[in-house]
Amino acid sequence: MAEIEMPQNPADLIDDLVKMRFYQPTAIETADSITEAELRTALFVSTVGQGKPRRERVVRDLIKLAGGLDQAFGAAFGPKAGEFFADAKRTSQVTRRKFLQNIAVGAALVSLANCGSASDLAEDAADAPAVGDLEKSSLKVAFLPITCSTPIIMSKPLGFYEKYGLDVDLIKYYSWSVVRDAAIAGELDAYHMLAPMPIAMSLGLGSAPFPMRLASIENNNGQGIAVAKKHLGKINGPADFRGMNIGIPYDFSNHNLLMRYYLASGGLDPDKDVNLLILPPPDAIAKLASEQLDAFLLPDNFIQRVVQDDIGFIHLLTKDLWDGHPCCAFAATQNWINANPKTFRALNKAIIDGATYASQAANRKEIAAAIAPQEYLNQPVPMLEAVMTGKFEDGQGNSFDIPDRIYFDPYPWKSFASWITTQLIRWDYTTAEKAPNGGENFFLTELARELAQELGVDAPEALSRVEKMQFGDFDPNQAENYLKEQIDQFGV
């Protein structure tokens, strides 16, 4: 195919394309000749995960600036495409001009993909990320079907694993204790885990000591407290939970630690004044519906489920307790990391790349659709969209628009580990003597920063920070004082 020199000035590019009748006739005719699914494949799926970052940037800029994948398709190929371009020419001379360049190339890519020529572009080969000689490329990675695992799940259908030379088989589990046992047995290559689990396993809490490492955070916020409908109008604060049966997914979870933190702020002893029950999320839903359970603190897709099923209401989001807190993480055993250092870097980079993509609000609806199928979350898309976009009903007659109800910042701050460790000490899971470094050694923060920089993603220079929390900020440099002050203030 002969190369064509294209104008460098965006306005000239637009004029030339209009003269060529490219926008309206060619793009619309292409849209008419193939299905929307084929368009999506040509314009998005075929570009992501093929080691072609320049094409990915074009498509992702297009989607972001248009306000979402559906809007981008409507702008590029819908009946009002001409109006869109005319409007774009009249507005900003920076972002819109860049957008016009990108959307022109995006439309060209559709035509190229339709005739099978896109893969021949020399620039794609030059931009392909170097993955090196991986120790292994076929991997098995554990996940639980919750929105907290979004980057691990979406990286398969959206092509992030493939981009880094990996063929990943996602293995679904339903219990955190089973995931822990699978890791100890070496059954899989890497694992979706709760952020406290690598600390607990490495310290030997709940099992013999076993070295696990937390590589990146999978989601921030993304949890909440749901209460059975029979208690509607009766719950105003933590003290109102006295005597209740409350579900949590695992001892060594931020769900448990945040629930205890909240209850203690109301003067309740979580080990005496309520009954904390470890339950898989589907069981918690069933027990709440049958009034065997009064409340639970679980991932947001199950919190929203109580509203959808009209069995309860949302009392609060955990971001109200600790805005930006971690929930789940990507983790691997130290032994596996030692044996597969290049593969580990590639896998971690793929997940950080996916999390960065998920951090953009414009991509959330697309991601909700990608993780909804039966082999992943097996959840209705509208419910997942409510979680992912932060536009939701709380079951108490209120509507909310909270964009950071859940968000995705993969950076594993060591201050996360420090706070988790103070709570493990506070609730007698361990002692300060057994965790002298506050669990920080088990978070691979320096590596996460290095990989983010290789991806061109902004990453903090600091390893720790002061965590802003509802009942007293946490300074990791004053962890011992913080723990004492919490106990003195709330009595537990």
Side-chain angles (χ1 to χ4, degrees):
M1 183 174 66
E3 292 188 4
I4 300 174
E5 184 176 350
M6 299 184 73
Q8 297 301 307
N9 184 290
D12 293 340
L13 175 66
I14 297 163
D15 290 340
D16 280 4
L17 288 169
V18 171
K19 290 175 184 177
M20 293 165 56
R21 294 175 58 80
F22 179 76
Y23 278 161
Q24 283 283 32
T26 305
I28 301 297
E29 287 169 11
T30 300
D32 287 341
S33 66
I34 57 179
T35 66
E36 181 177 318
E38 289 170 330
L39 275 173
R40 288 178 182 274
T41 299
L43 185 57
F44 183 72
V45 178
S46 66
T47 64
V48 176
Q50 300 300 320
K52 306 179 190 304
R54 190 172 301 176
R55 287 170 65 190
E56 288 184 35
R57 286 194 296 272
V58 168
V59 173
R60 287 177 177 166
D61 282 349
L62 183 158
I63 292 167
K64 181 179 180 180
L65 289 171
L69 188 59
D70 292 336
Q71 292 89 333
F73 272 93
F77 307 108
K80 295 189 177 182
E83 295 179 20
F84 175 83
F85 292 113
D87 177 69
K89 287 181 68 176
R90 289 194 300 268
T91 57
S92 168
Q93 295 301 298
V94 180
T95 59
R96 282 299 185 180
R97 288 163 76 90
K98 178 183 177 183
F99 177 70
L100 286 168
Q101 284 182 305
N102 287 349
I103 203 167
V105 178
L109 286 172
V110 171
S111 298
L112 289 170
N114 202 37
C115 66
S117 302
S119 61
D120 295 331
L121 294 175
E123 67 179 37
D124 291 341
D127 272 341
V131 297
D133 298 323
L134 303 180
E135 295 85 5
K136 59 188 302 187
S137 58
S138 295
L139 305 177
K140 292 184 177 181
V141 178
F143 79 97
L144 261 68
I146 54 179
T147 45
C148 308
S149 63
T150 291
I152 289 176
I153 296 174
M154 58 166 274
S155 291
K156 184 175 179 68
L158 297 186
F160 289 93
Y161 293 132
E162 188 178 0
K163 172 180 174 180
Y164 294 93
L166 302 169
D167 178 15
V168 173
D169 188 11
L170 295 175
I171 309 300
K172 187 185 294 189
Y173 287 82
Y174 292 93
S175 164
W176 293 113
S177 60
V178 176
V179 171
R180 176 201 62 198
D181 294 345
I184 293 173
E187 294 178 2
L188 306 181
D189 296 288
Y191 304 86
H192 165 208
M193 285 189 170
L194 299 158
M197 285 178 66
I199 299 173
M201 292 175 67
S202 298
L203 294 177
L205 310 182
S207 65
F210 188 82
M212 289 294 304
R213 299 294 179 262
L214 187 150
S216 55
I217 298 298
E218 293 309 295
N219 76 294
N220 305 80
N221 300 335
Q223 306 167 48
I225 297 176
V227 182
K229 195 172 182 179
K230 66 180 180 180
H231 297 296
L232 185 62
K234 303 174 184 176
I235 307 297
N236 298 305
D240 297 325
F241 287 84
R242 184 181 296 274
M244 288 190 178
N245 294 318
I246 302 172
I248 54 173
Y250 195 56
D251 273 337
F252 306 112
S253 68
N254 261 357
H255 310 76
N256 177 31
L257 300 181
L258 285 171
M259 191 75 228
R260 288 171 173 271
Y261 170 78
Y262 181 55
L263 293 171
S265 73
L268 300 185
D269 184 335
D271 292 312
K272 297 178 181 178
D273 297 322
V274 301
N275 185 23
L276 293 176
L277 303 170
I278 296 175
L279 296 168
D283 290 355
I285 289 287
K287 289 185 180 296
L288 196 77
S290 63
E291 298 189 356
Q292 299 177 64
L293 199 64
D294 296 289
F296 55 62
L297 197 161
L298 289 174
D300 266 349
N301 55 308
F302 289 95
I303 298 301
Q304 198 63 44
R305 174 78 177 273
V306 306
V307 178
Q308 174 191 278
D309 293 355
D310 195 26
I311 59 174
F313 60 93
I314 299 172
H315 171 57
L316 60 76
L317 301 179
T318 50
K319 77 178 294 292
D320 298 331
L321 301 177
W322 177 8
D323 196 3
H325 73 79
C327 176
C328 288
F330 159 60
T333 70
Q334 185 64 64
N335 292 339
W336 190 87
I337 295 171
N338 293 343
N340 304 279
K342 294 178 182 178
T343 300
F344 175 65
R345 286 180 69 91
L347 181 57
N348 197 7
K349 187 178 284 188
I351 292 172
I352 291 173
D353 200 356
T356 301
Y357 183 69
S359 70
Q360 300 177 37
N363 301 327
R364 299 287 180 82
K365 286 189 176 182
E366 174 209 350
I367 291 170
I371 65 178
Q374 183 176 8
E375 63 268 33
Y376 303 131
L377 266 58
N378 193 26
Q379 300 278 351
V381 171
M383 189 186 73
L384 294 178
E385 286 185 354
V387 171
M388 300 293 284
T389 66
K391 298 179 188 297
F392 66 97
E393 308 292 326
D394 70 352
Q396 301 185 71
N398 303 308
S399 298
F400 292 93
D401 185 354
I402 304 176
D404 60 349
R405 173 181 180 170
I406 186 172
Y407 73 93
F408 305 92
D409 179 357
Y411 194 70
W413 291 95
K414 288 186 180 292
S415 45
F416 291 166
S418 297
W419 185 85
I420 289 168
T421 305
T422 65
Q423 302 307 294
L424 293 175
I425 294 169
R426 181 180 186 181
W427 306 113
D428 296 327
Y429 290 108
T430 190
T431 64
E433 291 72 27
K434 290 182 179 180
N437 296 309
E440 294 181 359
N441 291 348
F442 312 125
F443 278 37
L444 303 181
T445 310
E446 295 90 340
L447 176 61
R449 181 174 59 197
E450 178 183 333
L451 295 179
Q453 290 170 344
E454 289 179 9
L455 288 166
V457 176
D458 290 337
E461 286 298 321
L463 301 178
S464 284
R465 66 184 182 185
V466 174
E467 301 294 340
K468 303 296 184 179
M469 307 188 70
Q470 183 174 357
F471 306 115
D473 293 345
F474 173 70
D475 182 348
N477 295 317
Q478 301 291 328
E480 187 174 342
N481 289 340
Y482 169 85
L483 181 56
K484 182 178 185 301
E485 289 169 1
Q486 288 284 301
I487 295 171
D488 289 345
Q489 181 177 356
F490 300 116
V492 283

